[in-house]
Amino acid sequence: MDPSEVNLPPLKDLTIDNITENVNLVNSTNPSPRFKFLLERLVVHLHDYARETRLSHNEWLQAIQFLTSTGQICSDVRQEFILLSDILGLSLLVDSVDHPKPPGSTEGTVLGPFHTHDAEHLENGCIMSYDHNGEPLLVTCTVKDIRGNPIPDVKIDIWETDSSGMYDVQHAGRDKPDGRCILTSDKEGKFWFKGIVPVPYPIPHDGPVGKLLLKLSRHPMRPSHMHFMFEKEGWDKLVTALYLRGDPYETSDAVFGVKESLIVELGQVDKETAGKYPGTHEGMRLLTYDFVLVTEKETAELRDRNSIEALKKLNMTVRIVDGLPVPDVNWRDTQTVSRQG
Amino acid sequence: MDPSEVNLPPLKDLTIDNITENVNLVNSTNPSPRFKFLLERLVVHLHDYARETRLSHNEWLQAIQFLTSTGQICSDVRQEFILLSDILGLSLLVDSVDHPKPPGSTEGTVLGPFHTHDAEHLENGCIMSYDHNGEPLLVTCTVKDIRGNPIPDVKIDIWETDSSGMYDVQHAGRDKPDGRCILTSDKEGKFWFKGIVPVPYPIPHDGPVGKLLLKLSRHPMRPSHMHFMFEKEGWDKLVTALYLRGDPYETSDAVFGVKESLIVELGQVDKETAGKYPGTHEGMRLLTYDFVLVTEKETAELRDRNSIEALKKLNMTVRIVDGLPVPDVNWRDTQTVSRQG
């Protein structure tokens, strides 16, 4: 911390025009190229934002207060910053960048703030929702690779709201998980369970994010959906969800998560199916879907290729370190190019 | 909230390349042109940041956790988001944009997170620091306009740390303000008081911002300074500080606040001065400074002119509404231009 150790130009008389460059100089003494890159772009965008909008002190202070209240409403069971990221489209964008999907594989979508780590490992055929007001639903799915081969032993996290549109963690006095479970795909890549028909619901909108939506004249609704997350060593983690065809919010999801390939039409359990799945009956609602996973290796290669191509278009020459881009060789060049943005 | 009322293109299958445009379309239905502009630029920069850095889900999650802990450490006497803005140079930048200073006027600098609203109104000549370990300092100043005319009845907020480098609010069990006061300039534009010689100090660095500085290999020190804030109807509010010449952190301020015009050399009270200011003595340290304020009207005109010129350079045609720019006439043009960034 001895200032004489700091080998930097004197930081004094910083102006609207030179402050970005100087803040980035101070930040550039840290040893990680990736962290340096993340900070350099952050400072450029933050400063460009203030310069382009001519941000006033009052507006800045309102932003400070908004961020503070967003942090303060967070708890073990509420993550308002994820909600904020969701309604600004950032969550979907990050998922798309980090988990590119080759044709034929199942698309990903937003994780949302309601995944928990305490769901019970249950057996195929289980009941995962104890909401008696919900409309019973049989869900039968497969997990396969892109060539159609079943993938056994995949860990599948599944979660949905109850019939009132609330996740278990949104109810006071929750003593155990409900409307969520963890299953494992069998030798044929199959998994199945009994849940309830998903319903549309508002994201929590009694906090700062809700106020922001109101100010933006936007509704807080998400179309009916059920969340799925797939994990197995060697396979790219898939965070996705299935949406119901014809939902009133199908094309106006507050968090931009709907993809055509993830929309399903519910069917009905017929006599034969009812016979195959104990605890079901003819006429019960039925959801079937075939999920397709991609290997980690294939995803990493695609991600690297996409990164290099996308950044080339932005005139940034990068190299990939641990699967993430850092500016190549001449750091100052990158900075100069990016300042034109 | 009836989705049929929403007159927007269907939001489905959003990709890395089209999500920004679509999020901005949804946000553009709110009625305020300024708020629309602020949100449009925010979404563009946020998304461009993720696209340029190829932000990973893990990095995104770390950012979510960082922002959450930054909000959660905030309290009545601690504002970690202002600290974050300070160490990223945003606070100084916003002050420079919002309070442009014509030549000859006193420059502004960062407010910092330690101004309070409970300082006592005291008389000129008061003692404002009761720290007996501090080196006594007589401060004699004037407030004038740009033509050299004194400005009486200016409300002046003054605050500084104690000799240990801590503001009163940083001590547990604070029952009343110390090291801060509010004075009023007299008929000749003069104000004077007895404080202590400022010392360098670290900004609070036991929280998320401190961890960030450490990760950036940056020190948390601020050079010795004393804060001043000037308010009078019709005059542009001046938030500034005076820095001591020769401080070890003079050119490496953690929050980028130092300006050459705000650096002072301390003098010594001579016999004549000691006679004029009761409670002072020959040899006591002396700080003198002449502050120059600008009218609100002059500042507003300068601010408007600067905005239009700066945004013209960015190919944005704007009009000024209530002192702040909004895109002129064709909103879509602005968006197209800005998307090139």
Side-chain angles (χ1 to χ4, degrees), chain A residues 154-169:
Chain A
V154 178
K155 177 188 165 199
I156 306 137
D157 245 282
I158 303 151
W159 64 109
E160 63 166 337
T161 68
D162 62 20
S163 60
S164 76
M166 304 271 273
Y167 288 94
D168 55 353
V169 291

Side-chain angles (χ1 to χ4, degrees), chain B residues 48-315:
Chain B
D48 279 352
Y49 179 74
R51 272 187 291 255
E52 286 169 15
T53 60
R54 314 301 292 180
L55 194 67
S56 76
H57 184 271
N58 277 344
E59 291 167 337
W60 168 85
L61 193 59
Q62 282 178 49
I64 294 280
Q65 286 160 348
F66 176 81
L67 291 171
T68 305
S69 57
T70 300
Q72 299 215 320
I73 208 172
C74 290
S75 69
D76 287 352
V77 294
R78 179 163 187 165
Q79 226 316 336
E80 195 84 355
F81 272 114
I82 291 186
L83 270 190
L84 180 60
S85 167
D86 289 353
I87 67 133
L88 294 177
L90 180 65
S91 307
L92 187 74
L93 176 56
V94 168
D95 182 71
S96 306
V97 166
D98 204 24
H99 297 281
K101 302 294 177 195
S105 62
T106 301
E107 292 189 277
T109 186
V110 289
L111 171 68
F114 292 116
H115 174 253
T116 70
H117 292 279
D118 67 352
E120 288 178 273
H121 281 259
L122 298 178
E123 295 295 319
N124 277 313
C126 71
I127 295 170
M128 59 82 90
S129 168
Y130 287 90
D131 178 4
H132 298 297
N133 296 319
E135 191 179 357
L137 177 72
L138 172 63
V139 184
T140 67
C141 302
T142 63
V143 198
K144 295 184 176 169
D145 70 16
I146 217 152
R147 280 155 219 88
N149 304 309
I151 314 177
D153 298 322
V154 177
K155 178 189 165 195
I156 307 137
D157 246 281
I158 302 150
W159 64 110
E160 64 166 337
T161 69
D162 61 21
S163 60
S164 76
M166 302 272 272
Y167 288 95
D168 55 354
V169 291
Q170 294 180 278
H171 289 291
R174 169 190 194 258
D175 53 358
K176 66 181 185 64
D178 190 18
R180 58 181 82 233
C181 69
I182 296 170
L183 296 180
T184 307
S185 59
D186 70 11
K187 273 186 295 186
E188 293 168 306
K190 285 187 186 164
F191 65 95
W192 67 98
F193 61 94
K194 284 160 254 169
I196 60 171
V197 175
V199 295
Y201 65 86
I203 59 168
H205 56 114
D206 57 340
V209 169
K211 278 185 206 135
L212 177 61
L213 285 175
L214 203 64
K215 202 163 170 189
L216 286 166
S217 313
R218 282 173 55 180
H219 72 69
M221 299 301 293
R222 296 217 63 203
S224 315
H225 63 278
M226 187 180 280
H227 291 275
F228 295 86
M229 182 161 76
F230 300 81
E231 289 174 277
K232 183 178 179 176
E233 215 187 309
W235 298 87
D236 189 50
K237 181 172 166 175
L238 171 64
V239 175
T240 193
L242 297 178
Y243 298 86
L244 301 194
R245 170 78 65 205
D247 188 282
Y249 303 99
E250 182 181 314
T251 59
S252 70
D253 183 2
V255 306
F256 311 104
V258 182
K259 296 181 179 179
E260 184 57 34
S261 70
L262 301 174
I263 300 180
V264 292
E265 305 241 17
L266 294 190
Q268 284 203 333
V269 173
D270 60 18
K271 203 170 175 181
E272 194 196 329
T273 309
K276 258 167 60 184
Y277 296 97
T280 68
H281 54 85
E282 214 180 320
M284 184 176 171
R285 307 300 297 274
L286 174 69
L287 188 165
T288 59
Y289 199 82
D290 298 312
F291 294 94
V292 179
L293 302 192
V294 186
T295 63
E296 251 176 9
K297 189 165 172 285
E298 204 172 342
T299 304
E301 284 165 3
L302 184 56
R303 188 194 298 121
D304 292 356
R305 213 158 52 232
N306 289 352
S307 292
I308 288 169
E309 271 170 30
L311 297 181
K312 203 173 167 184
K313 277 188 200 158
L314 297 171
N315 292 325

Side-chain angles (χ1 to χ4, degrees), chain A residues 262-289:
Chain A
L262 301 174
I263 300 179
V264 292
E265 306 239 16
L266 294 189
Q268 285 202 335
V269 173
D270 60 19
K271 204 170 175 180
E272 193 195 333
T273 309
K276 258 167 59 183
Y277 296 98
T280 67
H281 54 85
E282 212 181 322
M284 186 176 170
R285 307 300 296 275
L286 173 69
L287 188 165
T288 60
Y289 199 83

Side-chain angles (χ1 to χ4, degrees), chain A residues 11-13 27 34 38 41 45 47 49 52-53 59 68 72 74 79 88 98 218 251 260, chain B residues 11-13 27 34 38 41 45 47 49 52-53 57 59 68 72 74 79 85 88 218 251 260:
Chain A
L11 295 169
K12 210 185 333 189
D13 288 320
N27 287 348
R34 176 68 184 166
L38 289 177
R41 299 313 303 154
H45 281 292
H47 288 195
Y49 179 74
E52 285 169 16
T53 60
E59 289 166 340
T68 305
Q72 300 215 319
C74 290
Q79 226 315 337
L88 293 177
D98 205 24
R218 282 173 55 181
T251 59
E260 184 57 35
Chain B
L11 295 169
K12 209 185 333 189
D13 288 320
N27 287 346
R34 176 68 185 167
L38 288 177
R41 299 313 304 154
H45 282 291
H47 289 196
Y49 179 74
E52 286 169 15
T53 60
H57 184 271
E59 291 167 337
T68 305
Q72 299 215 320
C74 290
Q79 226 316 336
S85 167
L88 294 177
R218 282 173 55 180
T251 59
E260 184 57 34

Side-chain angles (χ1 to χ4, degrees), chain A residues 283-310:
Chain A
M284 186 176 170
R285 307 300 296 275
L286 173 69
L287 188 165
T288 60
Y289 199 83
D290 297 315
F291 295 92
V292 179
L293 303 192
V294 186
T295 63
E296 252 177 10
K297 189 164 173 286
E298 203 173 342
T299 303
E301 284 165 3
L302 184 55
R303 190 194 296 121
D304 292 355
R305 214 159 51 233
N306 288 351
S307 292
I308 288 168
E309 273 171 29

